[in-house]
């Protein structure tokens, strides 16, 4: 109804000339537009309302004696309507309303009330850059500086409006230049100081904020920043910020102040001789000029305005719909082979399970490893099953016994996702207490209790520790002149003095393998944690971010600039400098020349503060994110601060509860060989370092980010290691695979380890085949063996994603275990696994690339056998399987994600992509198999760390050459996935609020296998025999599962464990069903029954 009378009112206003009629119309318009939604305002605008109001303003103002009874309500309406009219400024300019309003404002400089209304209209006019520039030409800024006065309690509404108009005007670069040229920067700084100094009660925060916004807009110009610094702006804002940082009422002022300081801090190059990696090597067709860094799909989490002080916990991800592939032909077409078809026959040798006779299969597993490696291997500690973890806690060590597949074991089914988490409550720690400190508070804590390691704290005196000497014992060079036996003797003595029992790890075998690992820099040293091993620690809570930590760091950076006298600026470690560095006796000692290590330079800034620079990927100048280095020479109870100043990603989970990882040699020798999350006062923010355009071929300079964190080390003069995430080296993988091969019973498990290809760096890329041996050499059993479907899993194409290797470790250990589900999986599938697609990158401490500086997960479209051998042959193997009618049921590439929490899958769907892009062409008639959603839905029910809500099935143009998309499109694998695991932890489910430990990541790998098992049970092709065996398994598991949970003290309440999924039917053709039934202790398990 109100909208219907707007049009007549607008017409009446245009045709009215007497005062009473105009006032009445303005009154009615004001009432109508003050209620309801903006629809009325937009309707009025569409009917010429803006023009009518502006024309009335001009006509009234140009009378001999302007009538303010009309002008004041008219200004109020103009302010309201103008904000919604995108063309308001242009209309005002054409009707000469800008000049009229400026004239009225000048006439009312001494009449505050009338001036206020004029300023409201000017604020709307100035909100458009073009009209703002015109106002500047006509003297608007000079007028406003007559209104802006030093501190006063009079006419503060008018002064506030004037600051807002001026801030809007200065969004125009021409106005900002005019302000610089006329010296307004100094004037604004003086006004800011005056108002800030007098407004102790924060009564006029928005006037102070308005003045700062003016400076912020001027500082967008280089000349503005120079004028600001010349006027001592950095010193003034730094000084004024110190007395209000903790005042929440001053938040609007502090936020803008910090933005200005960041804007005006002089940009400087990194303290490196060159942006190129410290490591380089000749490779085929080496890339000479690196392309600019391309953001990956995980980089699209919006960091907001990069200059904003980011202390919020918001981590919403911005979807980039313009990257979606909407070409139906590209989405649905299947490209031809990228190589001659005859080349595929070479991969037949990698599928011997399809052709070997039974006797050949059996004889192959009688062969051991070569003698040089096996003579040092110690396999007494190998478990017969995966080290099952009850939500992050270690299984009782007594169950780790080799062989004994007939021993009663608990299935992985005991670990499926619960409705709520209770077990972790006791393990959650205060964010201010480090995990190592908490272990000390409880004697040897969980790890030592599980490992039954004696307490050495009483037998070993602190004075007897020589951590550097211990490290040196393991830092023996690799050359042939050094006897492996000498190295092993040293390690053997350490192991004898400090016994340990880490499943699937052998230090002697590790060192034998490390000797064969080839690195660009020819590493001569092994890192202690990699040799000694790691036991999963109890789960740790996410760090609660301390409010204001980022602004404190920004101000510290400013203090370095304006008060440089206390800066030491001493280089204490550098890969670029071969000569002896300055005296390092009074500082920490750093080292990174070992496998997967990455630290390029360390600079002592203050006594206990260090700037660190990480190395770019080999043969490149970007992708600085992964770090792993040794630090020693620390003092106890001292807070050391580390600033990694050349990170590249625009945001990080370090802003949302994630901590780096730490490994202490002394803790390891005390029986706690554990990587733990550590650090406090952590934040990740954009700094003032940048790469010059000249260094990037004219491309605008790249910005860098700082990761800053503080650490209090647990011991005096310890040797510790700090890393971005839990390290997992190539040598660790090769050691793990050999131990796994020795752990299996070759009569029951077919475990074949072979070389997919040699990498550019000369390292073998392993390919693993896992299945069950045929029951006998009968024709039927051999036929069943050879007709099993394939599952293909790959990982670690990006070297810095070490979490993917821990997930893969869990997958491998589960598949060779005695778990009944693992047995059924082996009997029904053949698993082809490439656990590390980029060995060279992992070895040399890269974050993302190969030795050629290429992202190998962007090379799947047309890989080259000589340039990207691992991708070429991985794709070739998949081509071969497809060519013989054995395309995999599931293909999954394990990755790590630095921007999101939880674990989730990316898949491929034509329809979902077109729907998301709002493209309706052809979707109605398009048929698509929706089974790609089944596995993630299953994992959402099974795995505590997995969430369906983060899964995506969109096909992006920029991902066309990734493994996921190529395997889906070219091989026709509808269930082709990337599985992403957070570096941080979970914000949902049983692990909500917890950071991932290696235990949770390994558990996810096992849960993925369980998901494959359930997926097969739900398949229409599932055999009746498998359904029957699955039902029998679930029934048999109930009693063992109940006993195990009681023994583990996990049944904290009668309904603690609830398996929350029900599969009403696995097979449409079968009457077999699974449902939930309750046992006497309240435990809900899956129990089979015949419908």
């Amino acid at each position: 109804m109100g909208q219907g009378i707007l049009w007549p009112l607008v017409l009446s206003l245009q045709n009215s000339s007497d005062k009473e009629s105009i006032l009445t119309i303005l009154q009615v318009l004001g009432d109508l537009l003050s209620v309801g939604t903006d629809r009325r305002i937009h309707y009025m605008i569409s009917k010429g309302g803006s023009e009518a109001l502006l024309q009335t303003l001009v006509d009234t103002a140009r009378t001999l004696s302007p009538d303010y009874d009309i002008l004041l309500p008219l200004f109020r309406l103009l302010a309201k309507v103008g904000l919604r009219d995108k063309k308001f400024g242009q209309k005002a300019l054409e009707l000469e309303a800008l000049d009229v309003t400026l004239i009225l404002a000048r006439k009312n400089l001494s009449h505050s009330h009338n001036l206020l209304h004029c300023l409201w209209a000017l604020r709307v006019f100035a909100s458009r850059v073009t009209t703002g520039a015109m106002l500047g030409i006509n003297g608007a800024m000079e007028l406003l500086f007559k209104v802006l006065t030093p501190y006063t309690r009079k006419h503060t509404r008018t002064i506030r409006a004037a600051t807002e108009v001026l801030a809007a005007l200065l969004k125009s670069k021409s106005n900002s230049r005019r302000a610089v040229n006329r010296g307004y920067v100094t004037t604004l700084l003086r006004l800011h100081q005056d108002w800030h100094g007098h407004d102790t009660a924060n009564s006029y925060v928005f006037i102070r904020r308005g003045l700062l916004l003016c400076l912020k807009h001027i500082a967008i110009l280089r000349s503005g920043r120079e004028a600001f610094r010349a006027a001592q702006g950095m010193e003034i804002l730094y000084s004024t910020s110190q007395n209000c940082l903790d005042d929440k009422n001053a938040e609007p002022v502090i936020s803008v102040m910090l933005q200005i300081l960041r804007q005006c801090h002089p940009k400087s190059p990194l303290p490196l001789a060159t942006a190129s990696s410290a490591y380089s090597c000749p490779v085929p067709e080496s890339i000479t000029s690196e392309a600019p860094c391309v953001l990956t799909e995980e980089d699209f989490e919006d960091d907001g305005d990069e200059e904003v002080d980011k202390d919020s916990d918001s981590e919403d991800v911005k979807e980039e719909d313009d990257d979606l592939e909407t070409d139906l032909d590209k989405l649905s077409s299947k490209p031809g082979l990228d190589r001659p078809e005859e080349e595929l026959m070479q991969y037949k040798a990698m599928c011997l399970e399809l052709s070997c006779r039974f006797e050949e299969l059996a004889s192959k597993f009688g062969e051991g490893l070569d003698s040089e490696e096996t003579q040092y291997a110690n396999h007494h500690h190998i478990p017969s099953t995966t080290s099952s973890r009850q939500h992050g806690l270690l299984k009782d060590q007594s169950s780790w016994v080799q062989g004994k597949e007939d021993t009663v074991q608990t299935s992985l089914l005991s670990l499926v996702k619960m409705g709520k988490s209770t077990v972790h409550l006791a393990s959650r720690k205060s964010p201010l207490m480090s995990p190592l400190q908490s272990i000390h508070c409880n004697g040897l804590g969980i790890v030592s209790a599980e490992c039954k390691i004696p307490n050495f704290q009483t037998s070993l005196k602190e004075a007897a520790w020589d951590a550097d000497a211990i490290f040196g014992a393991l830092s023996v060079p690799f050359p042939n002149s050094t006897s492996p036996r000498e190295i092993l003797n040293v390690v053997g003595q350490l192991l004898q003095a400090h016994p340990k029992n880490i499943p699937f790890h052998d230090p002697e075998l590790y060192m034998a393998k490390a000797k064969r690992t080839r690195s660009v820099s020819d590493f001569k040293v092994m890192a202690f944690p990699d040799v000694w091993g790691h036991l999963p620690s109890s789960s740790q809570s996410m760090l609660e971010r301390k409010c204001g930590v980022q602004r404190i760091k920004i101000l510290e950076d400013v203090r370095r600039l304006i008060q440089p006298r206390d800066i030491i600026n001493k280089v204490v470690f550098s890969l670029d400098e071969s000569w002896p560095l300055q005296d390092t006796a009074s500082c920490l000692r750093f080292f990174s020349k070992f496998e997967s290590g990455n630290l390029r330079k360390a600079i002592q800034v203050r006594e206990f503060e260090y700037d660190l620079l990480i190395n770019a990927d080999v043969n490149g100048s970007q992708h600085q994110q992964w770090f792993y280095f040794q630090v020693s020479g620390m003092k106890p109870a001292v807070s050391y601060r580390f600033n990694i100043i050349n990170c590249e990603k625009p945001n990080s989970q370090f802003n949302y509860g994630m901590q780096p990882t730490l490994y202490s040699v002394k803790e390891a020798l005390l029986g706690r060989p554990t990587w733990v999350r550590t650090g406090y006062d952590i934040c990740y923010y954009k700094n003032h370092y940048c790469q010059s355009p000249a260094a990037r071929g004219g491309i605008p300079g790249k910005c860098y980010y700082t990761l800053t964190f503080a650490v209090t080390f647990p011991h005096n003069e310890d040797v510790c290691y700090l890393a971005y995430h839990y390290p997992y080296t190539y040598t660790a993988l090769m050691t793990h695979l050999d131990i796994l091969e020795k752990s299996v019973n070759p009569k029951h498990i077919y475990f074949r380890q072979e070389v997919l290809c040699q990498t550019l760096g000369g390292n073998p890329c392993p390919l693993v085949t896992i299945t069950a041996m045929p029951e006998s050499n009968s024709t039927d059993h051999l036929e069943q063996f050879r007709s099993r479907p394939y599952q293909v899993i790959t990982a670690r194409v990006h070297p810095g994603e070490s979490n993917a290797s821990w997930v893969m470790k869990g997958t491998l250990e589960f598949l060779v275990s005695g778990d009944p589900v693992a047995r059924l999986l082996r009997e029904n599938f053949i698993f082809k696994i490439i656990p590390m697609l980029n060995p060279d990158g992992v070895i040399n401490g890269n974050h993302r690339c190969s030795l050629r500086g290429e992202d190998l997960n962007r090379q799947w479209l047309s890989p080259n056998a000589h340039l990207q051998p691992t991708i070429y042959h991985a794709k070739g193997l998949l081509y071969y399987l497809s060519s013989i009618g054995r395309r995999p049921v599931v293909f999954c590439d394990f990755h790590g994600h630095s921007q999101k929490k939880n674990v989730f899958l990316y898949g491929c769907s034509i329809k979902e992509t077109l729907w998301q892009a709002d493209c309706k062409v052809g979707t109605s008639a398009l048929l698509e198999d929706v089974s790609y959603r089944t596995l993630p839905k299953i994992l959402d029910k099974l795995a505590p760390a997995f969430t369906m809500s983060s899964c995506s099935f969109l096909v992006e143009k920029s991902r066309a050459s990734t493994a996921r998309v190529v395997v889906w499109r070219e091989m026709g694998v509808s269930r082709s996935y990337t599985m992403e695991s957070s570096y941080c932890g979970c914000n949902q489910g049983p692990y909500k609020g917890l950071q991932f430990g290696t235990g949770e990541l390994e558990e996810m790998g096992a849960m993925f296998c369980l998901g494959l098992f359930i997926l097969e049970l739900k398949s229409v092709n599932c055999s009746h025999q498998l359904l029957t065996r699955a039902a029998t398994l679930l029934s048999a598991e109930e009693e063992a599962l109940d006993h195990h949970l009681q023994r583990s003290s996990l049944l904290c309440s009668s309904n603690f464990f609830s398996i929350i999924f029900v599969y009403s039917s696995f097979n449409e053709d079968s009457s077999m069903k699974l449902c939930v039934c309750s046992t006497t202790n309240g435990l809900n398990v899956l129990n089979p029954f015949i419908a």
Side-chain angles (χ1 to χ4, degrees), residues 2 10 139 228 301 349 354 576 710 777 808 810 845 877 887 945 947 1049 1057:
V10 170
F228 178 83
E301 178 167 320
L354 299 180
D576 301 303
N777 61 352
M808 177 59 78
L877 177 60
R887 80 165 54 96
T947 177
S1049 302
F1057 215 115

Side-chain angles (χ1 to χ4, degrees), residues 13 74 113 231 359 381 513 649 842 869 941 1030 1048 1061:
L13 182 61
L74 190 56
H113 186 62
E359 294 81 2
H381 55 267
K513 289 286 184 183
K649 288 183 179 291
V842 173
K941 301 296 184 184
S1048 301
F1061 58 96

Side-chain angles (χ1 to χ4, degrees), residues 754-768:
E754 56 194 310
V755 177
L756 176 72
C757 62
Q758 293 290 322
T759 68
L760 293 180
N763 294 290
C765 178
L767 169 66
V768 177

